[in-house]
Amino acid sequence: MIAAALLGVFTWTFLEYVIHRFLGHFPRLRENPFGVEHVRHHIEGSYFAPSWKKLVIGVTFSAILCVPAIAIAGRASGIAYVAGLMGFYGVYELLHLEHVHAGVSAYGRWARRHHFHHHFMNARTNHGVTSPLWDLVFGTYERPTLVTIPRKLCVAWLLDPATNDIRAAYQGTFALKR
Ligand SMILES: [Zn+2]
Ligand SMILES: [Zn+2]
């Protein structure tokens, strides 16, 4: 069951990459419900698709996926696989709140730099959000250097209201686009 749950986690990291890269950014596929929401997320910066849509899709997808998972692996392992996959999808959703909250760990800081590089420097790179694994596998990984952000898209936690510039603690990692 633990192996099945870990396989589910691993499967999510792959889905996260494929969905983001192809349904979110591939020009000919972008006109799908996820792509439309994702383009808006990029344009507006602080926009996230409504939670009810994610819940409906998540529950429907889980129910459908349970059928082949249980048929292949049996009841306990099949459910563990789906739970691992959807549980890590939940982790992804929480991590993506990096737009709204500052990171508190080395991983949190890495994730913000990695994802903001995707948002503000090169949207063809760094499609993985929870890990760089599939970007490394498919050659779309770019190591962020200084991430420059347009002022109107800059997240609140990066800005120092006193100086109206990037907070001193984040300078060298992030800068406003001049
Ligand atoms: Zn984002
Ligand atoms: Zn994107």
Side-chain angles (χ1 to χ4, degrees):
M1 275 178 71
I2 291 171
L6 289 175
L7 187 65
V9 168
F10 186 66
T11 306
W12 169 257
T13 65
F14 181 68
L15 285 180
E16 172 191 290
Y17 178 87
V18 170
I19 292 169
H20 186 189
R21 179 174 176 187
F22 295 104
L23 295 185
H25 286 281
F26 193 68
R28 268 189 257 161
L29 297 175
R30 224 166 28 195
E31 289 300 317
N32 65 81
F34 170 79
V36 170
E37 296 281 16
H38 190 66
V39 167
R40 193 173 162 192
H41 170 62
H42 269 265
I43 291 172
E44 295 181 24
S46 57
Y47 173 79
F48 291 94
S51 300
W52 70 264
K53 279 192 187 175
K54 294 172 183 171
L55 199 67
V56 168
I57 291 167
V59 169
T60 309
F61 180 72
S62 303
I64 293 169
L65 187 61
C66 269
V67 177
I70 291 172
I72 292 167
R75 192 177 174 83
S77 295
I79 290 173
Y81 173 77
V82 176
L85 194 160
M86 294 313 292
F88 210 61
Y89 161 70
V91 170
Y92 152 82
E93 284 289 357
L94 289 176
L95 184 63
H96 197 209
L97 293 175
E98 59 204 356
H99 284 275
V100 191
H101 300 288
V104 290
S105 64
Y107 175 69
R109 287 189 290 275
W110 167 83
R112 281 154 181 79
R113 202 174 182 186
H114 181 76
H115 188 59
F116 290 180
H117 181 86
H118 165 79
H119 265 270
F120 306 115
M121 303 301 285
N122 187 354
R124 292 182 175 182
T125 64
N126 299 3
H127 300 284
V129 173
T130 54
S131 88
L133 174 65
W134 299 104
D135 285 296
L136 289 164
V137 170
F138 292 114
T140 53
Y141 176 74
E142 237 171 43
R143 182 187 289 277
T145 50
L146 181 68
V147 178
T148 56
I149 306 173
R151 180 177 295 273
K152 70 179 173 68
L153 291 178
C154 192
V155 296
W157 61 263
L158 271 176
L159 280 177
D160 184 344
T163 61
N164 202 22
D165 201 349
I166 297 289
R167 286 179 194 275
Y170 302 116
Q171 283 184 16
T173 306
F174 300 101
L176 290 179
K177 228 163 219 156
R178 308 279 176 199

